[in-house]
Amino acid sequence: MEASGEVYKANKEHFVLVHGAGHGAWCWFKLACLLRGSGHRVSCIDHAGTAGSLVDPDDVRSFDKYDAPLMDFMAALPDGHKVILVGHSAGGLSVTHAMHLFRDKIKQAIFIAATMLPFGYQTEQDIKDGAPDLSEFGDVFDLRFGLGDGCPPTSVALREEHQRIILYQQCSHEDSTLASILLRPWPAALSTARFGHVDDGAESAVNAVPRVYIKTTNDHMVKQEQQEAMIRRWPPREVVAMDTDHSPFFSAPERLLELILKSL
């Protein structure tokens, strides 16, 4: 989704904002306005199965199908046009996938409280570091079984009563209420995200894109120790921190804008 009426100057950047699980292009509305107000171009992606998508999340059976809107967007960029990818939470998987396929079209990648794994979920350590562990909050998920009982779940949703404490505890009640209306189940196939192979030169290719990681120190979704583990295992060019919950695009958008622009 690229909203009409955007302000764009040729000497400014083109940001592509990539949401996390259950969210959609809608979650970037504050940051998108701030970036456009600074003269930058902004595109917000809706993955398959989101509120802005016409696809039922139970019909998204692979990570490639989930990720197709971003891959199609990147493929359509003209030669010589470079974007800055910004991924939040599980959107970090999509950003890294794009880095494997379109490194020549990416000027920089910014990970906000995001899963940052060079090849996705390849190992048990990858899952430990990159997949949320919400067991301390009890039974927080609703599973849907689009293929029938006895088959693996096809989509996952965070129950409404847990959404604020896990995702939005420092956000205004207005923002968390809006989010609870717009959040959708996400395809279970998101947990199968894998791309590239360590032995085929993909590591040097994906490392060609400069990376910045923005930590969220009060995060209940991707905990601080998980963020730090991913940073240690795959060090980015720069690491900065925000004293926020998992969703700084709601709870501290002006500070988020400041950190993003400083990283350029």
Side-chain angles (χ1 to χ4, degrees):
M1 179 190 78
E2 192 163 343
S4 61
E6 70 177 65
V7 177
Y8 176 58
K9 298 178 182 178
N11 62 336
K12 295 291 187 174
E13 304 293 352
H14 183 180
F15 289 89
V16 179
L17 309 183
V18 184
H19 65 81
H23 291 73
W26 58 266
C27 74
W28 297 110
F29 75 97
K30 291 185 178 183
L31 182 62
C33 286
L34 291 169
L35 285 167
R36 290 185 179 124
S38 299
H40 297 286
R41 183 177 179 182
V42 181
S43 301
C44 301
I45 303 298
D46 267 313
H47 283 305
T50 65
S53 167
L54 299 178
V55 180
D56 186 326
D58 288 310
D59 292 334
V60 180
R61 307 286 167 74
S62 70
F63 179 70
D64 283 347
K65 183 173 181 179
Y66 171 80
D67 221 20
L70 176 60
M71 300 304 112
D72 292 345
F73 177 90
M74 296 298 297
L77 290 173
D79 291 342
H81 184 82
K82 289 198 172 190
V83 299
I84 296 174
L85 292 182
V86 180
H88 172 250
S89 197
L93 293 163
S94 301
V95 167
T96 307
H97 189 199
M99 290 164 60
H100 278 274
L101 299 178
F102 301 102
R103 61 171 176 161
D104 292 337
K105 295 184 175 183
I106 304 170
K107 182 176 182 179
Q108 180 171 298
I110 300 174
F111 294 76
I112 304 171
T115 305
M116 186 177 68
L117 302 166
F119 304 101
Y121 294 125
Q122 299 277 356
T123 68
E124 290 185 7
Q125 190 65 47
D126 292 332
I127 296 170
K128 179 180 178 181
D129 293 343
D133 177 5
L134 303 179
S135 55
E136 67 182 279
F137 299 102
D139 186 9
V140 302
F141 293 122
D142 282 326
L143 305 179
R144 299 201 307 194
F145 297 85
L147 296 175
D149 295 338
C151 295
T154 49
S155 67
V156 184
L158 184 62
R159 291 176 178 167
E160 185 173 352
E161 62 267 28
H162 298 289
Q163 290 169 6
R164 180 168 176 84
I165 189 59
I166 292 174
L167 297 172
Y168 313 118
Q169 78 270 18
Q170 291 178 238
C171 301
S172 72
H173 282 278
E174 291 86 354
D175 286 339
S176 62
T177 299
L178 173 67
S180 73
I181 295 169
L182 293 174
L183 278 174
R184 292 291 183 271
W186 59 90
L190 190 52
S191 65
T192 67
R194 299 179 185 87
F195 26 80
H197 300 283
V198 177
D199 58 355
D200 68 357
E203 186 166 8
S204 60
V206 77
N207 280 330
V209 178
R211 286 173 292 116
V212 174
Y213 199 98
I214 299 178
K215 297 193 299 180
T216 45
T217 60
N218 296 325
D219 201 317
H220 293 166
M221 186 72 170
V222 183
K223 296 180 176 63
Q224 193 168 185
E225 57 267 29
Q226 292 180 288
Q227 297 181 42
E228 291 171 350
M230 290 185 285
I231 289 167
R232 283 195 305 271
R233 292 178 62 202
W234 193 27
R237 183 193 70 194
E238 182 181 358
V239 178
V240 295
M242 300 184 70
D243 187 24
T244 69
D245 56 16
H246 186 62
S247 304
F249 44 74
F250 286 155
S251 57
E254 291 85 3
R255 177 59 176 158
L256 181 58
L257 173 73
E258 180 184 358
L259 292 177
I260 288 173
L261 296 183
K262 281 185 176 179
S263 75
L264 302 180

